[in-house]
Amino acid sequence: MQRFLYCAAPLLLGLLSGCNEPLVGPELVVVPAGLARYHLPGSSDVQEEALQEFSIMRRQVSQTEYAMCVDEGDCPALETAADERVAQLPAVGLSWQDANAYAAWLSRRSGHRYRLPRHGEWVLAAASAYIDEAPTVDDPNNPARRWLAEYAQRANRERLPETLKPFGGYGSNEYGLLDAGGNVWEWTDTCFSRNAGDFCSIRIAAGRHPSVLAEFERDPTSGACSVGQPPTHLGLRLVRDD
């Protein structure tokens, strides 16, 4: 497997500073052109995106890789103990801003353009690891039917363990993408908004089932309504555009 390297041996990964040699990029998988079909949370409308071929990281960004960005001062530090910054576990507890900071850092250090995937791209890449749940429908004669249906839907979902598994612990899909159906939700760049506009503070987090989450602002002095620590098991993998 291709790994990140500083300008020294892999054993020194993440321990050096001041090295300006370009990074070797992460291992990618190529997803062929296709049609992504999915429901957004709370919507009965089917979304369709015709997508061209693209490349996406085979696995999520690791704790060691994110720590490199933190060490260089380009990513906010996470509440992660030093002994948990390991190469075989995904970085989690990331806000949308954290994810974009890492993408900008990796783009600068590697010489290639990396970005968060759109939700449709993630769905297409996840292939059979993604489950598109049919939305529940209101019954005007008995509103409780929808509540019961939503409860049953959530109750029947697979309960994933809270402990993170090493990369590959949830297997690979048809394209070789690892852990797309695992217990790490991944930020996308897709805005969840009823009104199109320049500002968006709610994004789609992709996983076996999608979720909508605030971007999360770590700085409490900003006064944003989304101030706070992001949920656990929320990480990222990136698309490369060139």
Side-chain angles (χ1 to χ4, degrees):
M1 179 182 296
Q2 190 177 13
R3 297 177 184 270
F4 275 73
L5 300 176
Y6 266 160
C7 54
L11 290 177
L12 299 180
L13 177 65
L15 301 179
L16 302 179
S17 61
C19 173
N20 293 317
E21 292 295 324
L23 288 170
V24 177
E27 186 176 5
L28 305 172
V29 299
V30 177
V31 180
L35 182 68
R37 301 181 77 255
Y38 57 90
H39 290 88
L40 290 177
S43 173
S44 59
D45 297 331
V46 177
Q47 307 293 318
E48 292 189 346
E49 292 185 47
L51 300 169
Q52 299 300 312
E53 178 182 282
F54 62 94
S55 296
I56 190 170
M57 290 181 177
R58 185 168 183 251
R59 56 168 173 76
Q60 294 116 359
V61 172
S62 74
Q63 293 179 12
T64 296
E65 290 160 353
Y66 187 84
M68 291 166 62
C69 181
V70 173
D71 291 342
E72 293 195 4
D74 290 288
C75 288
L78 305 179
E79 295 182 4
T80 305
D83 60 354
E84 295 176 324
R85 291 161 53 163
V86 296
Q88 292 303 312
L89 290 179
V92 292
L94 301 174
S95 72
W96 190 79
Q97 288 90 344
D98 297 337
N100 276 280
Y102 182 84
W105 173 83
L106 179 59
S107 298
R108 178 178 61 81
R109 293 289 273 109
S110 68
H112 298 283
R113 182 174 182 268
Y114 288 90
R115 60 170 175 81
L116 289 174
R118 299 189 298 275
H119 183 57
E121 290 174 325
W122 193 96
V123 167
L124 191 63
S128 60
Y130 172 74
I131 298 174
D132 189 28
E133 293 180 337
T136 54
V137 180
D138 280 319
D139 182 344
N141 298 318
N142 187 357
R145 289 184 181 275
R146 176 171 183 171
W147 305 334
L148 291 171
E150 289 178 341
Y151 176 82
Q153 191 177 68
R154 294 189 180 98
N156 290 330
R157 288 179 179 176
E158 179 185 1
R159 295 188 180 277
L160 298 171
E162 294 184 4
T163 302
L164 292 173
K165 290 185 179 182
F167 293 123
Y170 288 91
S172 62
N173 70 358
E174 301 90 316
Y175 303 129
L177 202 75
L178 296 179
D179 308 318
N183 59 342
V184 175
W185 268 250
E186 302 172 23
W187 283 112
T188 76
D189 199 38
T190 298
C191 178
F192 184 78
S193 175
R194 303 301 184 191
N195 301 309
D198 295 332
F199 176 76
C200 179
S201 62
I202 306 294
R203 304 282 172 172
I204 301 293
R208 181 175 289 271
H209 311 281
S211 183
V212 292
L213 293 171
E215 293 179 356
F216 295 99
E217 175 58 58
R218 294 182 183 277
D219 181 8
T221 63
S222 70
C225 62
S226 57
V227 166
Q229 182 73 14
T232 57
H233 292 200
L234 184 57
L236 79 152
R237 78 176 83 211
L238 300 173
V239 167
R240 199 179 95 177
D241 275 340
D242 60 335

